């Protein structure tokens, strides 16, 4: 559904991404892993047009979208939920959701509250009064109100307590199962979150894709985990 071929991105003269190719099928969740500074955020931002990039080809449902503006990509349903979450503190939860609503979106305010009952309880609270977990739920729900085809999630569980992480993982699993024709790319430092949610994983290192495999393959490959993610499984077997 989304295909990226030979994508490069630069910040000034320094190259942040080199020769990135990836595929995302309809309904699929893929994980994007890598150490700090590997280029994960840059890749997500370059897919929504927020970072200048050069691509061999970039297609959505076979249509060339490589020259599309940020607005047009967003209207086509490529939606980024950034790591800073972007909740508007002066608006209520409900207002934050309402301003994101897109005509034609199959995901309603009601759906947002079913997905995250905490948001319903907090519907009249200001964005500024929310906990980190509630802000993240709001950021995901707001992304869904845009009616995305591709949801790009940047560090959705960063800094959150395990019980809240589980709520978010459950909600994302539910979204996928409900089949909103939704595909997700998730960046997360928590490898277990990526392995649980996604069927396939890409690992970035110094702006390049250095590994691509199923979650089962990566889960079993302790060498790769150690080499590119610094995960130490210890030597005792
Ligand atoms: P993290 O997990 O720390 O967010 P990341 O894998 O998302 O890391 P990026 O934030 O995409 O990595 O950064 C990739 C590289 O680009 C790094 O070397 C970073 O210093 C550089 N970089 C990121 N944003 C900018 C910017 N606005 N201007 C210049 N260089 C940048």
């Amino acid at each position: 559904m989304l295909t990226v071929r030979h994508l490069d991105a630069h910040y000034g003269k320094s190259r942040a991404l080199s020769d990135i190719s990836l595929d995302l099928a309809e309904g699929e969740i893929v994980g994007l892993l890598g150490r700090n500074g590997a280029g994960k955020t840059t890749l997500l931002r370059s897919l929504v047009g927020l970072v200048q990039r050069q691509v061999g080809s970039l297609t959505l449902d076979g249509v060339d979208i490589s020259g599309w503006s940020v607005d047009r990509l967003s209207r086509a349903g490529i939606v980024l939920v950034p790591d800073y979450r972007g909740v508007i503190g002066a608006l209520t939860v409900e207002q934050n959701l309402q301003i994101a609503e897109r005509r034609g979106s199959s995901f309603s305010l009601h759906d947002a509250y079913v997905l995250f009952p905490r948001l319903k309880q907090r519907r009249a609270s200001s964005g500024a009064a929310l906990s980190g977990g509630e802000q993240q739920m709001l950021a995901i729900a707001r992304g869904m109100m845009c009616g995305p085809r591709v949801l790009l999630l940047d560090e959705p569980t960063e800094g959150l307590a395990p019980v809240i992480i589980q709520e978010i993982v459950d909600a994302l699993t539910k979204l996928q199962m409900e089949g909103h024709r939704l595909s997700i790319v998730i960046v997360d430092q928590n490898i277990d979150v990526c392995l649980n949610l996604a069927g396939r994983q890409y690992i970035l290192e110094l702006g390049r894709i250095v590994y691509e495999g199923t979650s089962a393959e990566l889960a079993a490959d302790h060498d790769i985990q150690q080499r590119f993610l610094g995960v130490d499984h210890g030597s005792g077997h």
Side-chain angles (χ1 to χ4, degrees):
M1 186 206 34
L2 184 76
T3 64
V4 183
R5 292 289 174 273
H6 310 300
L7 180 148
D8 292 339
H10 295 80
Y11 290 112
K13 285 193 175 154
S14 85
R15 184 185 284 238
L17 296 173
S18 302
D19 200 24
I20 302 287
S21 293
L22 62 84
D23 293 281
L24 187 62
E26 185 163 298
E28 185 180 34
I29 304 183
V30 303
L32 190 57
L33 294 156
R35 291 194 173 90
N36 288 343
K40 305 178 296 295
T41 297
T42 302
L43 178 51
L44 297 190
R45 287 172 57 81
S46 70
L47 293 177
V48 293
L50 288 170
V51 170
Q52 285 259 1
R53 40 37 177 186
Q54 301 76 45
V55 276
S57 76
L58 179 61
T59 66
L60 180 67
D61 297 329
V63 175
D64 176 8
I65 58 169
S66 58
W68 289 18
S69 66
V70 176
D71 271 359
R72 195 167 175 204
L73 288 168
S74 153
R75 273 184 274 120
I78 304 187
V79 172
L80 173 66
V81 178
D83 49 359
Y84 57 84
R85 294 166 187 156
V87 167
I88 301 173
L91 299 184
T92 65
V93 165
E94 191 144 307
Q95 288 166 337
N96 266 279
L97 290 168
Q98 281 166 334
I99 58 166
E101 191 163 14
R102 240 347 117 75
R103 205 177 316 146
S105 165
S106 64
F107 193 86
S108 65
L109 195 59
H110 172 75
D111 294 326
Y113 291 150
V114 170
L115 187 66
F116 292 118
R118 274 170 194 265
L119 293 183
K120 187 170 187 186
Q121 290 161 17
R122 303 283 267 145
R123 66 204 290 176
S125 303
S126 73
L130 301 181
S131 69
E134 289 165 345
Q135 283 190 15
Q136 186 59 56
M137 291 172 193
L138 180 54
I140 293 170
R142 204 185 38 189
M144 285 304 298
M145 298 287 286
C146 303
R149 297 286 317 282
V150 179
L151 197 61
L152 305 170
L153 300 175
D154 199 355
E155 304 274 6
T157 71
E158 190 180 16
L160 304 181
V163 58
I164 305 293
I165 293 178
Q166 193 56 50
E167 274 184 47
I168 287 172
V169 167
D170 291 346
L172 293 172
T173 306
K174 200 167 145 217
L175 277 180
Q176 189 198 23
M177 308 234 316
E178 282 170 358
H180 293 270
R181 294 179 76 210
L182 176 70
S183 305
I184 297 177
V185 179
I186 179 167
V187 165
D188 214 297
Q189 291 290 338
N190 185 331
I191 182 174
D192 291 332
V193 165
C194 284
L195 289 176
N196 281 335
L197 271 172
R200 288 191 303 121
Q201 309 289 334
Y202 292 92
I203 299 179
L204 276 179
E205 166 110 324
L206 298 174
R208 289 180 181 277
I209 289 178
V210 290
Y211 177 87
E212 182 186 342
T214 66
S215 297
E217 285 163 354
L218 179 59
D221 197 332
H222 292 185
D223 287 344
I224 291 286
Q225 290 186 38
Q226 156 103 62
R227 193 160 141 212
F228 296 121
L229 306 173
V231 177
D232 187 2
H233 288 273
S235 53
H237 288 271

